Amino acid sequence: MRIDLAFATGERDPAEFAGKTVVVIDVLRASSTILTALANGCPEVIPVAEPKEAFALAEKYGRDQVLLGGEREARKIRGFDLGNSPDEYGKEVVAGKKLIFTTTNGAKAFLEAAGAAEILVGAFLNISRVCSYLKKEEREIFLFCAGRKGRLALEDLFCAGMIIDNLIFAAKDESVVELTDPARAGMLAYRQIAGMGPVVVALTQTDHGRYLASLGMASDLRYCGQVDLLPVLARLEAGGIILAAEED
Ligand code: MLT
């Protein structure tokens, strides 16, 4: 098993994803919000780069047939139905509604990875489910941390490192898991941070965690820090993110 890792969007040539299984990790908050929407009955999340594309696509589907969700600077976009707080994506809001979704980093990561063999959604919320799937994976695994405007976001690296640590544990023999230097850095960061307390504490100590808290969104950190709350597997297929079958 070989594992590579990117710290942020814009870092790799998209051609590098070809033939690989990519896991897009944006703990705060795109991955967590997408998983929440799907677990609550949203049939499909369509990531787009810009709000104007979201509006155009909504017109195509019929504006009242879809929801527009996402953020800029962590705030809801003017004219959108929903922001990027997972608590806005309850069953009563999203069940049966397609979601067109644009966020600064997470949505961008899905679009950059579009040429991969397979693209999964990763977060603390579904981490064990992702790991059990990856354990059987024969393709190279690429953990794509969405980061923050082209830079490392520690919460994403922490989550990626936890996935790596899990896969090494499952393999029983560390030497059968080949890690690139960025992947090893992720694993070492995880092992260091994990000793410091629960995930949610680590999230409060990150740049983006502090920023969200400063906007009154600290409850999102508590939510996104819950390990295995939503044991679902979600993948991007033909431009839309959908839940995978239970047996996957
Ligand atoms: C993103 O994709 O950039 C984020 O999820 C930012 C956020 O809303 O917290």
Side-chain angles (χ1 to χ4, degrees):
M1 175 182 281
R2 184 172 195 272
I3 310 178
D4 197 358
L5 181 152
F7 296 116
T9 57
E11 187 188 295
R12 301 294 182 99
D13 180 338
E16 274 197 61
F17 301 120
K20 298 178 186 168
T21 290
V22 173
V23 184
V24 171
I25 301 169
D26 186 356
V27 170
L28 298 175
R29 297 164 292 172
S31 292
S32 304
T33 298
I34 291 169
L35 292 168
T36 303
L38 294 171
N40 281 336
C42 165
E44 185 179 19
V45 179
I46 304 172
V48 297
E50 296 300 334
K52 63 175 186 312
E53 287 171 56
F55 288 121
L57 201 54
E59 284 314 314
K60 210 173 124 199
Y61 283 115
R63 181 65 184 89
D64 54 350
Q65 300 303 304
V66 296
L67 292 168
L68 290 178
E71 57 70 44
R72 284 300 179 268
E73 305 298 340
R75 296 183 172 91
K76 188 169 111 170
I77 298 163
R78 189 191 296 257
F80 271 39
D81 303 302
L82 302 164
N84 193 24
S85 278
D87 69 4
E88 295 173 71
Y89 292 77
K91 278 194 178 61
E92 64 297 347
V93 180
V94 301
K97 284 257 184 177
K98 246 185 225 295
L99 171 67
I100 301 170
F101 190 68
T102 180
T103 64
T104 316
N105 308 286
K108 199 169 167 207
F110 283 103
L111 298 169
E112 279 183 22
E118 182 170 28
I119 305 166
L120 303 172
V121 184
F124 288 110
L125 296 178
N126 71 338
I127 196 160
S128 298
R129 184 76 168 81
V130 168
C131 290
S132 5
Y133 182 79
L134 292 179
K135 274 173 210 165
K136 298 172 264 164
E137 188 54 76
E138 286 178 3
R139 284 192 280 259
E140 178 171 335
I141 296 168
F142 196 106
L143 303 175
F144 189 172
C145 298
R148 212 173 170 221
K149 298 187 179 170
R151 297 187 182 186
L152 169 74
L154 194 54
E155 63 278 9
D156 296 340
L157 190 67
F158 181 33
C159 183
M162 190 168 173
I163 294 175
I164 297 168
D165 194 61
N166 242 283
L167 295 176
I168 289 174
F169 182 78
K172 294 193 175 71
D173 173 3
E174 193 151 346
S175 69
V176 302
V177 182
E178 184 191 339
L179 301 179
T180 62
D181 283 1
R184 186 167 299 281
M187 179 197 73
L188 294 172
Y190 165 73
R191 289 182 178 173
Q192 179 71 24
I193 300 167
M196 289 160 56
V199 170
V200 64
V201 173
L203 297 187
T204 62
Q205 292 167 348
T206 64
D207 289 341
H208 197 53
R210 276 191 295 267
Y211 176 65
L212 291 173
S214 77
L215 297 178
M217 298 173 179
S219 61
D220 286 354
L221 309 190
R222 290 190 286 276
Y223 179 83
C224 298
Q226 297 177 92
V227 174
D228 292 336
L229 178 76
L230 306 172
V232 295
L233 190 70
R235 60 161 69 86
L236 180 70
E237 273 180 21
I241 303 168
I242 54 172
L243 284 185
E246 297 255 330
E247 58 277 12
D248 262 12

